[in-house]
Structures are given as structure tokens and as C-alpha cells.
């Protein structure tokens, strides 16, 4: 039995090497063959979405975190909060700083010490979607108008890059904000003698449903994340 297993394993490795060599030498023909058979490279049908999973609370030291998988692509998002003075043009809003990281472990194409060209592009796109589009209600991050607000540092680490990087990063970002609990102050000047706990409340930031993927199943994952916290 062992003697039969070794040749089978060797032939399997050899077959994978031949496929990879053909893919590199003849990329157009390789893709055209799959397209002609209506099959993706990973054996999915053309209209079949990648399986998606989300795990909240992946980083215990963060105020909010999530691990999202979109097929074999994996993203780890974490949110850290810091009190800051709100910008003068928006005294009743907080801020979000987005940073997308692609360490060498995520892909053999990423070289140590060499930043990728994709990372800053995805960072900018995520920041535009989360803030400029109004997907996140930044007014929820205000503590005291004109005095103090939350600055949310959103860091997303690509653990495995296997396509759909932006979609996976967006899902992990929304999940991390969904998991994050913000502290809010409700000051009532006529009740200054009440304990501090009377003025402090915890809540979540409002997330407006937004879709940046063409596939409805990814959209369903993004729009349903606001209900995940009830299970944790």
C-alpha cells in the first residue's frame, strides 16, 4: 500500500508542476481554456461566489477585531481607539485612519522590505468607502462637540492573498467596526452631582449598508454583519 501511495503522490505533485508551468508560459491559453469550459481556476463555476466566513474578536488587545475569509483569501482587521480633538471643519465628528498591510507571508510575490503597489491603493479605496461615502456615521464618534472625539485606527493585515483583496478587506473592516464598542458621554449640566456612570454609555457606530462587490452573496455578508454582535 505504501509503495502505491508514493508514486500516486509523486504523480500528483508532478501534475501540479506541469499545470503551473503551463499557466506561466501560456497565460492567455490557460485562461481561455477555463473560460471556454465556464470554470474558474479554483474549480468554481463562473457565477459561483467564494465561500465567506467571519470570526469576531480575533485580537483580544484591540477594541474591535475580525478575521474574514473569502475563499482562500484571509484578512485580519483590528480597530484601536484614541481620543483626539475633532477637526475644526467637523466639530461634531470623529475620524478614521485606514492602513492596509501586505506582509511577505501573504504571497510569494511580496518581497521582504519592499512595499507593494497594491497596499496604498486598497488603503485609499477603503478609506473612501468607509468615510467619504458615508458608510460609517462619523458623528457617532463624537464625545463632546468641539472638544473631544474618537480617532479609530483601522489596520487590516492580509494573511493570505488569493484574489478579491478589496472585498475581503472591506468585509473584515465592517466586521471589526461591528464588533467594536464605543464609549459615549451624555453630559447634563443640571445633574453634576450624579455619578460618572450616569453619563457614560456604550454603543456601536452606525453602519450604512453599502456594496462594493458585483456579487449578491458578498453583499449579503456585508449588510448582515450588523447583526453578528448579538451572537457574541
Amino acid at each position: 500500500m505504501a509503495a502505491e501511495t508514493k508514486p500516486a503522490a509523486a504523480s500528483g505533485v508532478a501534475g501540479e508542476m506541469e499545470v503551473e508551468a503551463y499557466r506561466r508560459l501560456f497565460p492567455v491559453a490557460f485562461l481561455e481554456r477555463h473560460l471556454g469550459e465556464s470554470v474558474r481556476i479554483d474549480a468554481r463555476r463562473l457565477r459561483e461566489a467564494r465561500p465567506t466566513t467571519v470570526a469576531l474578536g480575533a485580537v483580544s488587545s484591540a477594541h474591535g477585531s475580525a478575521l474574514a475569509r473569502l475563499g482562500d483569501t484571509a484578512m485580519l482587521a483590528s480597530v484601536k481607539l484614541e481620543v483626539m480633538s475633532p477637526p475644526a471643519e467637523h466639530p461634531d465628528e470623529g475620524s478614521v485612519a485606514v492602513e492596509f498591510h501586505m506582509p511577505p507571508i501573504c504571497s510569494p510575490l511580496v518581497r521582504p522590505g519592499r512595499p507593494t503597489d497594491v497596499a496604498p491603493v486598497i488603503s485609499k479605496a477603503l478609506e473612501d468607502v468607509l468615510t467619504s461615502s458615508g458608510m460609517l456615521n462619523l458623528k457617532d464618534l463624537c464625545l463632546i462637540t468641539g472638544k473631544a472625539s474618537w480617532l479609530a485606527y483601522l489596520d487590516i493585515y492580509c494573511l493570505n492573498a488569493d484574489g478579491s483583496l478589496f472585498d475581503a478587506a472591506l468585509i473584515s473592516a465592517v466586521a471589526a467596526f461591528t464588533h467594536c464598542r464605543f464609549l459615549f458621554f451624555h453630559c447634563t449640566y443640571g445633574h453634576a452631582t450624579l455619578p460618572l456612570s450616569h453619563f457614560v454609555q456604550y454603543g456601536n457606530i452606525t453602519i450604512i449598508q453599502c456594496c462594493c462587490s458585483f456579487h449578491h452573496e458578498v453583499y449579503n455578508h456585508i449588510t448582515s454583519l450588523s447583526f453578528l454582535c448579538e451572537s457574541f
Side-chain angles (χ1 to χ4, degrees):
M1 181 64 68
E4 296 178 358
T5 304
K6 290 183 178 180
S11 62
V13 173
E16 292 179 0
M17 293 177 62
E18 291 178 1
V19 171
E20 183 61 25
Y22 181 74
R23 177 180 180 178
R24 290 178 177 272
L25 293 174
F26 308 101
V28 176
F30 181 81
L31 294 175
E32 286 180 345
R33 181 174 179 179
H34 284 81
L35 186 61
E37 298 178 2
S38 298
V39 177
R40 295 175 182 265
I41 298 175
D42 58 1
R44 287 183 295 131
R45 308 301 298 178
L46 293 182
R47 295 182 177 274
E48 182 181 352
R50 299 168 185 257
T52 307
T53 59
V54 176
L56 300 181
V59 182
S60 59
S61 59
H63 293 100
S65 61
L67 175 63
R69 294 183 180 275
L70 194 59
D72 289 332
T73 297
M75 297 285 175
L76 178 64
S78 65
V79 178
K80 295 285 285 187
L81 301 176
E82 181 179 300
V83 178
M84 58 163 284
S85 298
E89 59 272 18
H90 301 289
D92 59 343
E93 294 183 359
S95 301
V96 176
V98 181
E99 191 71 30
F100 181 78
H101 308 270
M102 291 191 69
I105 62 171
C106 74
S107 171
L109 300 179
V110 180
R111 301 292 184 180
R114 297 182 182 179
T116 63
D117 297 333
V118 178
V121 175
I122 295 181
S123 294
K124 182 63 168 61
L126 286 171
E127 187 171 355
D128 289 341
V129 170
L130 293 173
T131 58
S132 300
S133 68
M135 184 177 184
L136 295 179
N137 186 1
L138 298 181
K139 294 184 182 297
D140 288 344
L141 300 180
C142 179
L143 291 171
I144 302 175
T145 301
K147 298 293 185 180
S149 62
W150 287 117
L151 169 59
Y153 291 98
L154 172 64
D155 287 285
I156 302 176
Y157 295 87
C158 180
L159 304 182
N160 189 40
D162 191 48
S164 297
L165 299 185
F166 179 77
D167 284 336
L170 179 60
I171 292 175
S172 67
V174 175
F177 274 110
T178 303
H179 177 252
C180 189
R181 299 283 287 174
F182 293 88
L183 182 146
F184 301 98
F185 292 97
H186 297 275
C187 295
T188 306
Y189 296 103
H191 299 81
T193 58
L194 293 176
L196 180 62
S197 59
H198 178 79
F199 305 106
V200 177
Q201 294 183 3
Y202 288 88
N204 297 95
I205 188 172
T206 303
I207 300 177
I208 301 174
Q209 296 181 356
C210 177
C211 177
C212 293
S213 173
F214 71 92
H215 202 284
H216 69 280
E217 291 191 16
V218 176
Y219 171 79
N220 289 338
H221 275 282
I222 294 175
T223 56
S224 63
L225 285 174
S226 59
F227 302 102
L228 287 177
C229 276
E230 299 176 0
S231 303
F232 288 82

